[in-house]
Amino acid sequence: EAGVTQFPSHSVIEKGQTVTLRCDPISGHDNLYWYRRVMGKEIKFLLHFVKESKQDESGMPNNRFLAERTGGTYSTLKVQPAELEDSGVYFCASSQVRDGELFFGEGSRLTVL
Amino acid sequence: GENVEQHPSTLSVQEGDSAVIKCTYSDSASNYFPWYKQELGKGPQLIIDIRSNVGEKKDQRIAVTLNKTAKHFSLHITETQPEDSAVYFCAAPIRTGGGADGLTFGKGTHLIIQP
C-alpha cells in the first residue's frame, strides 16, 4: 500500500511568486493534515480536512495560504504571493481515525529567495 | 490550545548507553501521547505511543512513561545504536476552537549516537 506522497520534494522560488504543493494521502484516509516546520522549530499545525471539508484552518499563517481538497482525495496548498518567512518544510499527514496515528509524507521543502 | 515543551534540543550519547527525552504538556484533558522519529530526508514516523490509562509502555529497546499528575511524559531508548540517530518529536492532541483533531508537536530533539 502506498504511503502519503507529496510533490514537489523541493521548490525554490523568488519572493512574490506562487507555489502549489500537492499531497496524496493514504487511500481511504478521510483525515488529512498540513503541517509546517520552519528551521529548528516545532512541527506546527496548519489545517485539518475531513474528506473535502475544512475542519479547522486556525493554524494557517495568513490569507496568502490556500488549501483545497477537491473530492476528498488529494489536497493542494497554495502560497501566493510567497514571502521569505514562508520557507520551511511542509508536511502532509493522513489518518484513518481521529486522535490516532498520523502517517506523514516526506515533506515538501520550500525555499523562498 | 495544547502547548508541548520538549527537552533537550540536542542529546549526544555513546553507543550502547541510554537516552531519555522529556516533554511536558499543558492540557490536563489530553489522553494520547505519541513519539515520532524523523530521519534525514524523510517524514516523521510513529515509533511508540501511550494513552492516559497506563503509566508505561515498552517496545523492545524503547519505552514511554507518563505522569499525568505532573503532566509530563518521557521517551527512553536503551542500548542505543547508530541507527537511532535522528530527530525525535513528542506530541499531544491538538485542541483548537474549531474542534480540529490531530497533534501539536514539541520542537524536537536531535539525538546523536557517538560510535
Side-chain angles (χ1 to χ4, degrees):
Chain A
E1 180 181 325
V4 177
T5 56
Q6 293 187 243
F7 182 84
S9 58
H10 192 186
S11 182
V12 182
I13 61 173
E14 294 190 348
K15 176 183 173 181
Q17 291 186 318
T18 298
V19 64
T20 300
L21 311 177
R22 171 171 171 144
C23 168
D24 286 79
I26 293 173
S27 179
H29 283 195
D30 289 340
N31 296 281
L32 186 149
Y33 308 84
W34 282 99
Y35 284 85
R36 175 174 74 173
R37 187 179 192 213
V38 175
M39 177 79 79
K41 299 199 173 181
E42 70 271 27
I43 302 173
K44 190 173 180 183
F45 169 83
L46 297 179
L47 88 160
H48 170 207
F49 283 100
V50 177
K51 297 185 180 179
E52 68 276 8
S53 299
K54 290 178 185 174
Q55 182 71 18
D56 193 325
E57 53 184 333
S58 62
M60 296 285 263
N62 50 61
N63 59 11
R64 295 184 294 103
F65 289 74
L66 175 63
E68 294 179 320
R69 192 183 182 193
T70 306
T73 54
Y74 71 91
S75 175
T76 57
L77 179 64
K78 180 191 285 188
V79 185
Q80 178 182 33
E83 298 289 344
L84 299 178
E85 63 264 25
D86 301 333
S87 295
V89 181
Y90 290 77
F91 290 105
C92 175
S94 71
S95 69
Q96 193 166 33
V97 298
R98 294 184 166 192
D99 281 350
E101 179 178 359
L102 295 186
F103 294 84
F104 280 84
E106 295 191 342
S108 291
R109 180 177 294 277
L110 174 63
T111 303
V112 183
L113 303 176
Chain B
E2 176 69 278
N3 183 43
V4 176
E5 299 286 338
Q6 182 173 347
H7 300 280
S9 57
T10 304
L11 178 60
S12 181
V13 301
Q14 288 293 126
E15 182 178 349
D17 288 351
S18 295
V20 180
I21 303 170
K22 299 180 179 180
C23 286
T24 61
Y25 60 98
S26 60
D27 188 345
S28 57
S30 288
N31 58 3
Y32 174 62
F33 306 95
W35 285 90
Y36 283 78
K37 175 183 180 182
Q38 185 184 8
E39 296 177 276
L40 195 62
K42 297 185 178 181
Q45 185 174 14
L46 179 72
I47 55 171
I48 195 168
D49 57 15
I50 191 169
R51 294 195 182 267
S52 58
N53 56 345
V54 297
E56 183 176 7
K57 183 177 178 181
K58 289 184 180 179
D59 182 3
Q60 300 182 344
R61 294 186 298 105
I62 60 173
V64 56
T65 59
L66 171 64
N67 184 327
K68 286 206 54 131
T69 302
K71 291 191 283 188
H72 67 70
F73 56 111
S74 300
L75 176 70
H76 304 253
I77 305 174
T78 59
E79 301 173 24
T80 53
Q81 299 170 5
E83 55 264 35
D84 295 330
S85 294
V87 180
Y88 292 81
F89 293 93
C90 63
I94 198 166
R95 293 287 183 263
T96 70
D101 297 303
L103 301 170
T104 188
F105 288 85
K107 290 186 178 182
T109 296
H110 186 191
L111 177 62
I112 302 165
I113 307 302
Q114 304 277 7

